[in-house]
Amino acid sequence: MRAARVRPTSPEGTPYGFPGNVAPSSAIEIHDDVPKPQISKPGELLIQVKASTVYKDNLEWNELYPPSHATLGNDFSGIVVAVHDSEQDFCVGDHVYGMTHANRGGTWAEYAIVMTEEAVKKPDNLSWEEAAAIPGSALTADQALFRHVGLETAAQNGQKRVMITGAGGGIGTFLVQFAVLAGHHVVAASSSNERNESFLRSIGAHEVVEYKEFGTLNKVDVVVDSVGFQVLADCWSVLKPDGTLLSFDACSWGYREEHRQKGISNGKEGIRALYMIAEPARESMARITEHVAKGSIKGRVSKSVLLKDVREAYESAHSRDLGHGKIVVLI
Ligand SMILES: NC(=O)c1ccc[n+]([C@@H]2O[C@H](COP(=O)([O-])OP(=O)(O)OC[C@H]3O[C@@H](n4cnc5c(N)ncnc54)[C@H](OP(=O)(O)O)[C@@H]3O)[C@@H](O)[C@H]2O)c1
């Protein structure tokens, strides 16, 4: 079968690995002779993948570097083509979507094994493309706000001021929608109001700011950051003294220690600083699916590419000119 994999070594034979030797995009290769995976234990489903997505910085994910070739891709929509004899929740022919665990990837391929807790039935009102654009981004947003930050709804525990950086991005778009839906005051931050303001207001943002305007903001209770680097460093100044800062940017896993060493977080010890890795979770996907089916949460596709063009698509995910939504890979 056809799959897009990461070559495990550089052309000179040096193994790729995290963090010292992250593979460049040129290490993404299309192979036509990858063995079709087979179900080997209870809990596995064999999926004929119809669509997957591209994540900026995917090659920075340390879970990607097992000893052998990695097949990238975590989001999937597709058809169940085989189940274990003991399977009770899914059957052959089911239309499903979801996200595989970060350390397995596997969905930039014609067939993929996914675990039952990684899949839910796809709502009929979503195409394969629209469905694939949702799981990983929506799960990351849902878990960031409600599991890690511990945000409750405004009705439960009062309205909070919640700022999202990279608000127009793949995950930022879901963060804004979830926080608005939970009744909070949402400040949507991005690098360009000209590019993002009307879109961000259309998905419910109450305030729209550029990063360079942080100094003018009233302080916020929560910041969820999807951008990292200088934007993340500047977020400390926007938070109330007892606020919460969370980043999931792929390059920011060590930010708390780095900012402490550089003095960026000095005097901000009351701020709870968090980093997270999203996990597949069927109950989150079920909740997300309910919202999607009702139309209260929307995923977006910025462009669709064929699997053979996925390396170029990965490179284009690192440009700001794509518009809003996910790059979807059609398999
Ligand atoms: N920890 C986890 O579990 C987890 C899960 C999924 C994804 N991730 C990581 O989370 C980060 C955000 O993912 P995403 O899918 O939301 O990404 P995205 O949509 O591609 O980018 C998010 C935002 O980053 C900003 N940005 C900064 N530098 C950029 C550049 N060179 N090119 C394009 N945009 C740039 C853009 O906002 P502005 O122009 O407004 O700055 C963009 O909207 C990535 O690093 C991804 O790998 C982590």
Side-chain angles (χ1 to χ4, degrees), residues 55-57 61 140 166 168-171 190-191 195 211 226-227 248-250 275-278 317-320 326:
Y55 281 91
K56 175 162 79 67
D57 306 325
W61 298 11
T140 307
I171 301 168
S190 81
S191 59
R195 204 175 57 239
Y211 306 134
S226 69
V227 177
F248 50 76
D249 165 59
Y275 185 79
M276 64 161 276
I277 305 282
H318 296 74
S319 125
R320 287 184 156 99
K326 293 294 296 175

Side-chain angles (χ1 to χ4, degrees), residues 26-317:
S26 56
I28 299 173
E29 296 175 336
I30 305 294
H31 293 256
D32 282 316
D33 54 357
V34 176
K36 186 172 165 182
Q38 305 289 330
I39 302 257
S40 64
K41 53 179 188 291
E44 291 183 341
L45 307 171
L46 179 63
I47 306 291
Q48 182 192 2
V49 183
K50 293 290 193 178
S52 182
T53 65
V54 173
Y55 281 91
K56 175 162 79 67
D57 306 325
N58 200 169
L59 293 168
E60 300 275 350
W61 298 11
N62 58 354
E63 299 90 344
L64 188 75
Y65 294 97
S68 63
H69 274 88
T71 300
L72 294 183
N74 296 89
D75 288 318
F76 63 88
S77 60
I79 303 172
V80 177
V81 292
V83 298
H84 191 267
D85 291 344
S86 62
E87 182 54 42
Q88 307 210 322
D89 294 336
F90 294 94
C91 40
V92 170
D94 280 347
H95 290 193
V96 294
Y97 76 136
M99 173 186 94
T100 59
H101 199 282
N103 62 12
R104 290 192 309 109
T107 66
W108 286 3
E110 288 174 307
Y111 293 90
I113 296 287
V114 313
M115 307 305 294
T116 49
E117 69 265 21
E118 297 169 341
V120 293
K121 307 248 171 79
K122 178 181 82 63
D124 291 338
N125 63 341
L126 294 183
S127 66
W128 297 119
E129 268 173 288
E130 290 166 331
I134 293 170
S137 300
L139 278 171
T140 307
D142 178 75
Q143 290 172 14
L145 288 170
F146 305 117
R147 185 190 289 183
H148 294 274
V149 171
L151 199 65
E152 297 176 282
T153 64
Q156 283 169 321
N157 199 21
Q159 190 185 52
K160 309 284 183 216
R161 284 177 60 77
V162 179
M163 187 174 92
I164 311 297
T165 70
I171 301 168
T173 303
F174 284 100
L175 285 162
V176 170
Q177 293 180 87
F178 283 132
V180 168
L181 206 60
H184 298 293
H185 182 92
V186 176
V187 182
S190 81
S191 59
S192 166
N193 280 350
E194 190 187 340
R195 204 175 57 239
N196 294 313
E197 175 157 12
S198 63
F199 169 72
L200 291 170
R201 292 210 185 269
S202 77
I203 60 171
H206 303 95
E207 282 178 64
V208 175
V209 292
E210 293 188 357
Y211 306 134
K212 60 177 189 265
E213 298 168 320
F214 278 1
T216 65
L217 275 179
N218 289 331
K219 298 276 186 266
V220 302
D221 300 283
V222 173
V223 174
V224 179
D225 164 67
S226 69
V227 177
F229 301 96
Q230 190 57 44
V231 172
L232 174 57
D234 291 344
C235 287
W236 294 92
S237 67
V238 174
L239 279 156
K240 294 180 183 172
D242 60 349
T244 300
L245 172 59
L246 178 145
S247 183
F248 50 76
D249 165 59
C251 304
S252 298
W253 49 276
Y255 84 93
R256 291 170 290 191
E257 183 56 20
E258 184 196 327
H259 288 187
R260 197 185 56 74
Q261 281 177 10
K262 291 183 174 164
I264 294 168
S265 52
N266 273 2
K268 309 275 184 192
E269 286 74 17
I271 292 176
R272 195 164 56 113
L274 310 170
Y275 185 79
M276 64 161 276
I277 305 282
E279 290 176 351
R282 218 161 150 194
E283 87 284 350
S284 308
M285 268 310 287
R287 203 167 44 243
I288 289 162
T289 300
E290 243 181 75
H291 286 308
V292 168
K294 275 194 294 194
S296 46
I297 293 287
K298 283 198 177 65
R300 283 168 181 81
V301 177
S302 59
K303 91 172 172 185
S304 299
V305 299
L306 299 176
L307 183 58
K308 72 178 178 54
D309 299 320
V310 75
R311 182 202 289 177
E312 293 75 16
Y314 179 72
E315 286 161 358
S316 73

